[in-house]
Amino acid sequence: MFPEVRLRRLRENKILRESIAENSLSINDLILPLFIHEEVGTHEIKSMPSHYRLDIESMLKDVERLMLGGVKKFILFGIPKSKDPTASGADDSKGIVQLAISALKKRFGNEIYVLADLCFCEYTSHGHCGILEKSHVLNDPTLEMSQRLALSYAQAGVDMIAPSGMMDGIVHSLRTALDNNGYSSIPIMGYSAKYSSAFYGPFRDAADSAPESGDRKGYQMNPANRLEAIREVDLDVLEGVDILMVKPALSYLDIIRDIKNKYDLPLACYNVSGEYSIIKAGAERGWIDEQAVALESLLSMKRAGADLILSYWARDFVSWGITK
Ligand code: PBG
């Protein structure tokens, strides 16, 4: 009790304060999303400052620079030239993501870790995450397509696959397809609890993946729900998922903590585009200190229980000179 107990004693000195910090942040915690397109050259993404749609050549240069700055893990999103209702181009062995994976692995080998997001919204003309019948996304036919897509990523040399379409049974389907084709060592990171969120706005601009009509509420989770996240994770675990994920991150820190308390698997969270761009916009106006706010928000995800963070800020770590 006061006056003997004074918590401020341990806060006064910077060295002591830092050495008893309960959580810390490192560039190793981060996975950087990259947008690769089939056009030639780079294209600025207006709603996500510092991020570009890259062609393969510019991606290799960009990644080389980022790797020198300490970024080792990347997750790829492809923006194809042509789209159709059934995403028929997605699993092409010469598709943009497949080419990007093989170019990165050829150039950087085991110095780099390449994840591929697996979803169809960038490949369908209607912008939904699977095969559409009227306004309903068909689950099981989308699973079959996902298996083919996963195998094409595996053949290109991907290190990990992350299915983001929120189809029921996706982890089981991909695990079976990979195992039956000699890829049993490729891990799956489930977008286990992915909410239907307005914070994805800038990403859909970046990836040209907004649904033409309707929304994703029929397959992504309702932001009102907490217990349902546990059911989603339970199923992913039963289906053999390797890494769990919660998405988005900042408005869902409670979910991250719930999952961390209950499961022993590694846990990732996706610090999504909207969470990034609002800080960038606030800083551009001079209203907040960009670096301090970004680092505080990332640290809150670690504190909530995330082991890994998919984050656009990995790029800024390099410009801020944070190499550890
Ligand atoms: C594809 C996908 C989305 C994001 C990652 N994968 C968009 C969506 O579900 O509409 C969003 C990422 C971000 O906002 O940074 N399904």
Side-chain angles (χ1 to χ4, degrees):
M1 277 289 283
F2 182 83
E4 292 82 9
V5 178
R6 289 174 184 270
L7 296 186
R8 288 180 53 181
R9 259 182 224 129
L10 298 182
R11 291 182 199 142
E12 282 312 325
N13 181 288
K14 184 166 184 276
I15 297 173
L16 178 62
R17 194 167 61 235
E18 285 177 357
S19 49
I20 57 172
E22 294 175 42
N23 291 284
S24 63
L25 192 59
S26 149
I27 199 161
N28 285 322
D29 300 327
L30 306 182
I31 301 172
L32 176 65
L34 291 177
F35 299 99
I36 321 300
H37 67 177
E38 250 171 351
E39 313 283 329
V40 177
T42 59
H43 169 89
E44 194 187 347
I45 301 165
K46 292 250 161 29
S47 55
M48 298 180 67
S50 319
H51 290 265
Y52 295 82
R53 293 183 188 176
L54 306 162
D55 65 9
I56 304 261
E57 270 316 299
S58 41
M59 169 194 75
L60 288 170
K61 282 201 201 97
D62 192 34
V63 166
E64 181 157 33
R65 185 186 64 85
L66 290 162
M67 286 178 68
L68 285 172
V71 186
K72 296 189 195 106
K73 301 183 284 293
F74 300 84
I75 181 161
L76 306 184
F77 293 91
I79 305 138
K81 251 188 186 156
S82 65
K83 306 180 184 229
D84 62 27
T86 56
S88 61
D91 63 352
D92 186 340
S93 62
K94 297 264 177 305
I96 187 64
V97 174
Q98 291 82 353
L99 291 178
I101 294 168
S102 47
L104 286 169
K105 293 305 291 183
K106 184 164 168 237
R107 173 77 70 91
F108 303 107
N110 282 335
E111 299 297 305
I112 193 172
Y113 198 84
V114 180
L115 296 90
D117 178 90
L118 188 152
C119 192
F120 296 101
C121 58
E122 297 97 350
Y123 296 88
T124 52
S125 40
H126 45 72
H128 279 284
C129 301
I131 296 281
L132 201 61
E133 195 176 77
K134 300 205 177 91
S135 61
H136 175 71
V137 173
L138 298 174
N139 195 85
D140 300 8
T142 302
L143 293 181
E144 279 174 37
M145 287 165 54
S146 302
Q147 291 182 316
R148 291 197 295 275
L149 184 51
L151 290 177
S152 75
Y153 289 163
Q155 275 147 17
V158 80
D159 291 309
M160 189 186 292
I161 294 180
S164 67
M166 287 303 277
M167 297 300 126
D168 286 325
I170 185 71
V171 172
H172 170 75
S173 296
L174 299 188
R175 189 69 275 154
T176 312
L178 292 169
D179 290 359
N180 290 345
N181 288 279
Y183 298 112
S184 59
S185 57
I186 295 184
I188 297 174
M189 177 162 73
Y191 279 69
S192 309
K194 176 174 174 178
Y195 286 85
S196 173
S197 171
F199 285 95
Y200 305 152
F203 172 94
R204 291 180 185 172
D205 186 20
D208 189 22
S209 66
E212 216 170 50
S213 67
D215 52 41
R216 304 208 203 288
K217 292 190 169 61
Y219 40 104
Q220 299 181 346
M221 283 178 61
N222 183 345
N225 295 353
R226 180 176 175 195
L227 303 178
E228 192 191 1
I230 300 291
R231 296 192 71 198
E232 281 286 0
V233 171
D234 272 342
L235 292 173
D236 275 8
V237 171
L238 288 172
E239 291 174 29
V241 78
D242 299 283
I243 299 184
L244 303 168
M245 193 211 294
V246 174
K247 178 185 175 186
L250 280 180
S251 293
Y252 299 85
L253 295 175
D254 56 331
I255 310 297
I256 298 176
R257 174 44 59 184
D258 281 349
I259 293 175
K260 187 65 180 181
N261 285 345
K262 186 149 186 239
Y263 301 89
D264 296 329
L265 278 77
L267 175 59
C269 67
Y270 200 138
N271 174 210
V272 302
S273 56
E275 300 171 341
Y276 168 84
S277 295
I278 52 182
I279 295 177
K280 283 276 175 191
E284 264 173 27
R285 293 191 164 204
W287 289 350
I288 49 168
D289 175 336
E290 177 178 306
Q291 181 173 348
V293 173
L295 295 180
E296 186 176 329
S297 68
L298 289 165
L299 189 58
S300 76
M301 296 165 210
K302 293 289 299 287
R303 195 187 62 237
D307 303 300
L308 285 167
I309 307 173
L310 289 82
S311 180
Y312 303 98
W313 292 111
R315 235 174 231 292
D316 299 81
F317 270 55
V318 175
S319 30
W320 297 329
I322 307 178
T323 54
K324 284 204 202 100

